[in-house]
Amino acid sequence: MMKEKLEQYFFEHRESFIEHIRRLVRVRSVKGEPKEGMPFGEGPAAALKETLDIAEELGLLTKNFDNYVGTISINEQESKLGILGHVDVVGEGKNWTYDPYEGVIVDGKMYGRGTSDDKGPVIAAMYALAAVKDLGIPLSYNTKLIVGTDEESGMADLDYYLTKEKTPPYVFTPDAEFPVINIEKGAIRTSFDASFTPSEELPRVRSIRGGYKVNVVPPEAEAEIVGMLLPDISEIAHRITVETGVNFELRDMGQQLVHIKAIGVGGHASIPETAINAITGLLTLVNALPLQPSEGHRMLQGLSDIFPHNDYYGKAAGLDLEDKESGKLTMNFSIFSYNAEGHLEGQFDSRVPICATEANTFDVLEPKLAQYGIRLVRGGFEKPHHTPGDSPFVQTLLRVYEEYTGLKGECIAIGGGTYVHDIEGGVAFGPTMPGIDTRMHSNDEFIIIDDMLKASQIYAQVIVELCGTQS
């Protein structure tokens, strides 16, 4: 009976559900410069305001914690379930088929930055609260939707919120996929750098730069080569494109200066195998060119040896770790710059399994970089998160998922880190259905509208199960 009621509710509210997602997508909420009352810039603050405005229009209770976090509640009772989402987004990048801030719908999919990460899911969770309220389902406890604004850039928002309130005893985040993600890999997000003696010998690299965010597979990178003609580079570039899948645009700047733009495919750093890394592709090309030997060039060759193109699992770096519970280590070379004045620096983002330690990661990688004169910056090791799959909370989520989808519920591990990473007992729960790549952090990010509506019904049922009078 409850399932039929919820299905009818979402059938009747389908259009407003869609429009409310679109309202959030239209706010460009990339982190910006802090301003008074806007700790993460104007965009995230505007998105939070829009979110709380929508919640109030739906008759829900809201509170704004200084534009760090907003909360949305069904009632004023004690909160038993917390749902953690966010409305900040990564930058839009390039090569979109549709405007990333319009929420264009084609063939049942809505395209736009944040549709799947995490504005669509926030609306899905919000509508779950609204459905339970509007249907008059008696509750003994409250469910609180906790909406952050800095998830993509360090989670300072959640740190601030936790100085004000505690999370409820049960917590999930709708910022991943179904069924239940009870293991989140740990992470190494750190950097390396080096100084070298500049060389004037030709041909040589004048500059390289690429990447814009450590948790994004870089979709573009560029270099300038001095002392070679465009046709000579073009022939080699074509071969490297065939090898790597990275496309190269060459431009003759005159005086034997050639600009190279590498075009890959962006993606989330936790699943680098689904993207094409422009930085590693560009380094492959640069190191295939007949450049004059130099200290800087040797370092570039070393980086290609340690982080070769398509080595998603850190094998060349000696970091090919794996365990049964959490799977393989993944590696993403995220950001890089090199200049002919004698300096290079880069950042990488590695998602590490439960078996990873500083001893079998940093202690292995540090000497490999050092043999090329490159310094590894130690630090930035984040431990994995693990909630037992047999906990009553997890079992409730799996049972409801199975009831509403007809699919087998099981626990899985991911490389991504979510808001629940440091919350004991927390898990990630939807909203993306298994096997769907929504291209989060890449161009043409999308949601399947019917799947998002189904996820919202699942969330509503979970609220009833955990916070209803029978709980």
Side-chain angles (χ1 to χ4, degrees), residues 365-381:
L365 182 57
E366 190 170 35
K368 283 184 173 289
L369 288 167
Q371 68 179 322
Y372 296 100
I374 301 171
R375 180 183 72 102
L376 176 67
V377 177
R378 295 191 67 119
F381 186 91

Side-chain angles (χ1 to χ4, degrees), residues 440-455:
M440 64 169 59
H441 288 203
S442 187
N443 60 312
D444 290 344
E445 177 185 348
F446 70 90
I447 52 168
I448 298 172
I449 293 171
D450 285 345
D451 285 357
M452 197 63 66
L453 286 160
K454 178 68 71 177

Side-chain angles (χ1 to χ4, degrees), residues 376-408:
L376 176 67
V377 177
R378 295 191 67 119
F381 186 91
E382 183 180 84
K383 294 181 180 179
H385 170 78
H386 182 200
T387 294
D390 59 359
S391 73
F393 175 49
V394 171
Q395 289 300 306
T396 297
L397 300 182
L398 291 174
R399 176 170 50 79
V400 174
Y401 167 77
E402 289 182 344
E403 178 185 351
Y404 276 77
T405 66
L407 302 173
K408 177 177 173 52

Side-chain angles (χ1 to χ4, degrees), residues 144-181:
K144 183 177 290 184
L145 173 58
I146 303 164
V147 183
T149 57
D150 187 44
E151 195 271 352
E152 299 290 4
S153 302
M155 303 189 190
D157 53 346
L158 188 60
D159 291 341
Y160 180 83
Y161 173 72
L162 293 176
T163 67
K164 306 294 183 181
E165 291 192 344
K166 294 181 179 179
T167 56
Y170 299 127
V171 177
F172 75 79
T173 179
D175 192 15
E177 62 187 70
F178 288 121
V180 170
I181 293 167

